[in-house]
Amino acid sequence: MSALNLTLQVWRQAGPSSPGRLVRYEARDISPDMSFLEMLDVVNERLQEKGEAPIAFDHDCREGICGSCSLMINGVAHGPNPGTATCQLHMRSFRDGDEIRIEPWRARAFPVVRDLVVDRSALDRIIAAGGYISAATGGARDANTILIAKDTVDTAMDAAQCIGCGACVAACPNASASLFTAAKITHLGLLPQGQPERITRARQMVRQMDVEGFGGCTLYGECQEACPKEISIDTITRMNRDFLRAGLSAGRSAVAGSD
Amino acid sequence: MELNARIPVGPIERKWDTHRFEMKLVNPANKRKYTVLVVGSGLAGASAAAAMSELGYQVKCFCFQDSPRRAHSIAAQGGINAAKNYRNDGDSIYRLFYDTVKGGDFRAREANVYRLAQISVNIIDQCVAQGVPFAREYSGLLANRSFGGAQVSRTFYARGQTGQQLLLGAYQALEKEIARGGVTMFPRTEMLDLIVIDGRARGIVVRDMVSGAIHTHLGDAVVLGTGGYGNVFYLSTNAKGSNTTAIWRAYKRGAAFANPCYTQIHPTCIPQSGEYQSKLTLMSESLRNDGRVWVPSRQGDTRPPSQIPEGERDYYLERRYPSFGNLAPRDIASRAAKTVCDEGRGVGPGGLGVYLDFGDAIRRLGAQTIRERYGNLFEMYERITDEDPYRVPMRIYPAVHYTMGGLWVDYNLMSTIPGLHVIGEANFSDHGANRLGASALMQGLADGYFIVSNTIADYLAGARLTKVDHTHPEVRAAREAVEMQTRRFLSIKGKRTVDSFHRELGRLMWDKCGMARNAEGLREALQEIPRIREEFWRNVNVPGSDAELNQALEKAGRVADFLELGELMCLDALHREESCGGHFREEYQTADGEALRDDERFAYVAAWAYAGSDRPPALHKEPLEFENVHLAQRSYK
Amino acid sequence: MTRVATFWDTSVGKKAVMAVTGLILVAYLITHVLANLLVFTGPDRINRYAAILHSTGGALWAARVVLLVAVILHIVAATQLALRRQAARPVAYAAGRQPQVSTLASRTIRWGGALLLVFIVFHILHFTTGTVHPDFVELNPYHNVSTGFHNPLVALFYLIAMAALGFHLYHGVWSSGRSLGVSPPSPDPLRRRVALVLGGFIWLGFTVIVLAAWLGVIPGATR
Ligand SMILES: Cc1cc2nc3c(=O)[nH]c(=O)nc-3n(C[C@H](O)[C@H](O)[C@H](O)COP(=O)(O)OP(=O)(O)OC[C@H]3O[C@@H](n4cnc5c(N)ncnc54)[C@H](O)[C@@H]3O)c2cc1C
Ligand code: HEM
Ligand code: HEM
Ligand code: SF4
Ligand code: F3S
Ligand code: FES
């Protein structure tokens, strides 16, 4: 395949409170074997050679696992290929002459830091509200004393694969973090070790999700499609079940602070 | 400088127990009076921060990503070793210890390795208790796979995402402690210097990467879990942000840097596809359980792999190392790949690749089984290369993956600066000259959950620290030095981007200090690096300001340090006139091309001490004694 | 009480309330459409049904109260969730967001709901109080229905409202099982056969009645 010439419309915003806008850049001579982020690297190199500030975007592993990369590409979170994070998207998915619009995730809970970089710490606070098993270091008994059916672990693992990228929020018309929250509730709630805290976990995480200002879930299903790990909205069903059970039973109800 | 490893006396099996009994303790009520600064939130940092907070210390934890969950450990694929012997295949703590010392080509400290093997079993228990969804058999028991350099099956895994699941376990424990108030987390915060007062590590200087503000944090001890420095090669399997800055600044403040030249080149990575390439992607070593490595027997054979008949294929690992075959250790497998490519038998663009073929495994086990075992890796491969590995053999090539070298630490994981502890990939401790697969995760968690969380008390209880505050002259000086460097970057306004320097350095390091090294090349590199560095400080262009999120500025700081580290690596590689593990000096090899160690002269840890910018660093040696494992030429034949 | 309050305070709790009230309305509509379909059997059965219903007195009012409370809770929750949704994304995507898999039904659920609200008010004035019915006869639903759609505007309004209802249910019947956490896991979670059948049936049943009455083909009725 030969090189691509593309037009980019990229969201540029100097800081959290500055106004932003889409700015047009030409991206010439792009190899189809490049990853999307390598294409942006090339654009950035050229910008810097002209003395302009490079486009800021989050990235780290570039292997689709750290969850840093987070671009809205032509109105689709992580771009056109299902089950693929932005860093794993390759330019062969585009045609010569295409116009590509690139925006940050948008949600009240994800304020823009700069250009395409947003603050996703709200997701950390949802985990802090209960997304763990309180097993202090040291006291664990032999790992094989609790048997866990292969199916159960496999289903838990399906949910545990969440990379915390926030694409589910970005793609959701409600800007809901339900899929993210539900993935963790499902992962831990399926395992025997997760049972003691299962109900309080669901209650606290759901409440934190609301405190952070995410929307509710209308079951649009967009999140599942955007999710680079193809996590199923079945997890949302499970979160709702656990939460409703929490509502019908007593228990702790502290909500972790948010700021 | 005196290198006192403080290895406890007594038989090796008892050393850790004895030591734990003899160490000083901090009483529970006093723990909260101590503040520990943990830099890094990877397996090592996150587990250390969580465990110390659980014990009662006040912990501050720092990472440069936007969330601690994104530390580079998240990318580890294949698995974690533990001497559980669940398979009844003859494994034991002693065997894991033995394999690790041998795999490290007898350049690791026995006592540390033995402790690591002992703790390995607790790690699995701890992680399962936290809800890490390790793969299981239909019986409900934990499953295992084999990894390179071992003849037993002792690797625990969670699909191809073991590092992710282990890190999320540690991250969740960390978030639990954050919610409880024991840990204060500082994401998007980069450590740019270490503060040493009265010879002790007392704090760090950091940059808030969002506002650009420079802050100082003070405490009673500092723990660095900042990962490896493989990115000195520009192209590596490490995450883009992985850097040497934290340990390099600590080195410049007096911490000895051990074995900087020991670099692991991983044999199974996706070959580079072009100049623009920004990183290399690892294909987990676990693939070698079922994939067979081969190249055409004939040079320049350009037929597609399916048309090369069985008789004209060279399964060179199986041929050269019949007992370990495709599971030969990494350094050996990598060099073997380089050898066949140098012979002109490589495949793919530029002849820089060998096949990793699943044809036989698919015929034997069915595509479904292979999909279950490696499905996500196969998908990743296809996404990157646009080739379907179920039908066409994968093409792989070695790439920089891990750095065995790091800051020198004693048995307590404390560096030569009292109070500065170093854990995980950032230290040099356990892997000698070559790390076995699935052992880094083990080491990171052992260091964090079980070792430093205990040994730090020994330091704190005996330290008698004076109170310091932010107005202390050393604190102000460190802070001002950082501010000055930042301003300097911004004021150069040269013509070249930071990345262009990084790429130049990386290519040089790969050519001269990569998979194979020789004195001549290393000398050339030692000439070249200062030249690149000089141009960097004259001609780099860092746009923007210091009071904002400025990714070019962040990179500039990291590359400036790589430009110094590269020189130390070459110096170390040049001085070590032997081949061992990942350090292969072309002058020192056996007749059949295997690494030739020189135990007479080089059975020591080379610890380099900074002596100022205008003087070469001083070499200190920690002799290695092998009382339990017999020094022998490593053989995997 | 506080537990109820905190429950209502969360998005998941509110959504469960919507699902329960929605399902109450669905249950009512199933009987309602079946009852109204009796119109095709002539006046006897449907009028007898109405007579029995009205003769129960207390039970009828009880049912009315349940329905009213359900509608109110459903609407209040819907409104609050809609406000939460608006607040959750104060800055819209400048280049738009492209829906990938969400159904048109799900994306129009709020507009459809609002239309249904208007419809319900009109409908009660139409058939329960007779206020807007040109020829209302107390306790004679057969007559009221078969003569209620001579005005094409009324008929058209009903047809549109019924389409909105069908859409609303195509999404709502499916999603309510998930909101309540009772749907079983599925390899294709977006598939919704029950909702298609149920929503389709209710839409079709009402639509046929409206069309038949409009076209004057209800057995035994005169134009
Ligand atoms: C692709 C890949 C696959 C691997 N697979 C395996 C495997 O299967 N099994 C195995 O055992 N090992 C594997 N390894 C090796 C292993 O993953 C790493 O060695 C290990 O995870 C390192 O952990 P760490 O905690 O020491 O450092 P990291 O996980 O690298 O964490 C470093 C932390 O330090 C922070 N940090 C760094 N610099 C600074 C600074 N200046 N200021 C503030 N914070 C800083 C970072 O933000 C991060 O939180 C793999 C490695 C790679 C690259
Ligand atoms: C005839 C009456 C109605 C019936 C049978 C009905 C039924 C339902 C059902 C079953 C749901 C799904 C709930 C869930 O997913 O948990 C639903 C959702 C919804 N309904 Fe209704 N509804 C009716 C009237 C209305 C009215 C009058 C409105 C608005 C004014 C409305 C607005 C909504 C909205 C907005 C939702 C989606 C809520 C969300 O997921 O955010 N509905 N409805
Ligand atoms: C073609 C469509 C419909 C027809 C012909 C129809 C017919 C009627 C009739 C005849 C009555 C009066 C019953 C009586 O008082 O004895 C009635 C009442 C009512 N209908 Fe419908 N209906 C239709 C659709 C709907 C729809 C779609 C809804 C809800 C969304 C609805 C809700 C109601 C309600 C709430 C009442 C009042 C019940 C009461 O309290 O008495 N109807 N309908
Ligand atoms: S659920 Fe999927 S889309 Fe959402 S944060 Fe996790 S990985 Fe990303
Ligand atoms: S797209 Fe949004 S509405 Fe629910 S199903 Fe997914 S979170
Ligand atoms: S950069 Fe790590 S997931 Fe994309």
Side-chain angles (χ1 to χ4, degrees), chain A residues 63, chain B residues 39-45 62-65 68 71-80 147 189-192 225-228 237-238 242-243 245-246 282 284 330 401-402 423-426 435 437-442 444:
Chain A
E63 292 190 4
Chain B
V39 188
S41 64
L43 283 179
F62 305 81
C63 71
F64 65 75
Q65 291 91 347
H72 170 56
S73 297
I74 201 95
Q77 303 170 347
I80 177 166
F147 250 59
T189 304
E190 184 159 44
M191 165 179 166
L192 295 178
T226 51
T237 61
N238 289 9
S242 298
N243 67 87
T245 293
L282 176 77
S284 166
R330 293 178 173 172
H401 177 58
Y402 184 88
I423 58 179
E425 194 174 339
R435 174 176 70 79
S439 287
L441 302 182
M442 170 171 75

Side-chain angles (χ1 to χ4, degrees), chain C residues 17 21 24-25 63-75:
Chain C
V17 170
T21 54
I24 291 172
L25 296 174
R64 283 176 170 169
V65 168
V66 169
L67 288 180
L68 188 68
V69 170
V71 169
I72 290 173
L73 283 177
H74 193 80
I75 293 171

Side-chain angles (χ1 to χ4, degrees), chain C residues 40-215:
Chain C
F40 289 110
T41 66
D44 297 356
R45 290 211 176 101
I46 183 168
N47 284 351
R48 184 144 26 95
Y49 172 76
I52 294 171
L53 216 61
H54 282 253
S55 68
T56 59
L60 176 65
W61 276 104
R64 283 176 170 169
V65 168
V66 169
L67 288 180
L68 188 68
V69 170
V71 169
I72 290 173
L73 283 177
H74 193 80
I75 293 171
V76 171
T79 314
Q80 291 181 339
L81 284 171
L83 292 174
R84 166 170 275 282
R85 156 198 165 96
Q86 273 195 333
R89 182 167 290 136
V91 180
Y93 285 104
R97 189 182 47 73
Q98 295 304 316
Q100 300 294 298
V101 290
S102 53
T103 55
L104 185 63
S106 66
R107 281 179 269 130
T108 54
I109 196 132
R110 283 177 197 82
W111 300 109
L115 182 66
L116 284 175
L117 178 61
V118 176
F119 166 79
I120 291 170
V121 173
F122 178 84
H123 181 58
I124 289 175
L125 297 176
H126 193 199
F127 284 136
T128 306
T129 64
T131 325
V132 296
H133 197 288
D135 182 16
F136 188 73
V137 180
E138 191 88 30
L139 278 180
N140 191 347
Y142 175 81
H143 169 83
N144 292 342
V145 169
S146 50
T147 59
F149 297 104
H150 292 169
N151 181 343
L153 286 180
V154 171
L156 219 56
F157 174 60
Y158 264 74
L159 288 179
I160 294 171
M162 290 312 103
L165 178 67
F167 258 44
H168 200 89
L169 296 184
Y170 178 59
H171 184 71
V173 169
W174 169 78
S175 69
S176 53
R178 293 185 169 267
S179 295
L180 293 173
V182 295
S183 308
S186 154
D188 179 10
L190 294 176
R191 197 180 55 186
R192 51 192 78 185
R193 279 193 293 210
V194 175
L196 180 65
V197 170
L198 200 64
F201 170 71
I202 292 175
W203 165 75
L204 199 68
F206 283 136
T207 300
V208 166
I209 298 170
V210 176
L211 284 177
W214 186 12
L215 302 174

Side-chain angles (χ1 to χ4, degrees), chain B residues 498-550:
Chain B
V498 177
D499 272 349
S500 78
F501 285 103
H502 196 176
R503 253 185 249 123
E504 185 180 357
L505 172 70
R507 210 171 301 127
L508 181 71
M509 293 297 291
W510 178 247
D511 289 344
K512 309 290 183 194
C513 195
M515 237 186 306
R517 302 137 179 209
N518 59 50
E520 192 193 348
L522 289 165
R523 286 208 187 87
E524 274 169 43
L526 285 170
Q527 300 280 313
E528 266 304 280
I529 297 170
R531 189 200 57 72
I532 303 174
R533 195 165 58 221
E534 182 277 326
E535 188 190 343
F536 174 84
W537 282 106
R538 185 168 43 79
N539 196 24
V540 76
N541 174 18
V542 181
S545 90
D546 59 353
E548 60 186 9
L549 181 94
N550 186 338

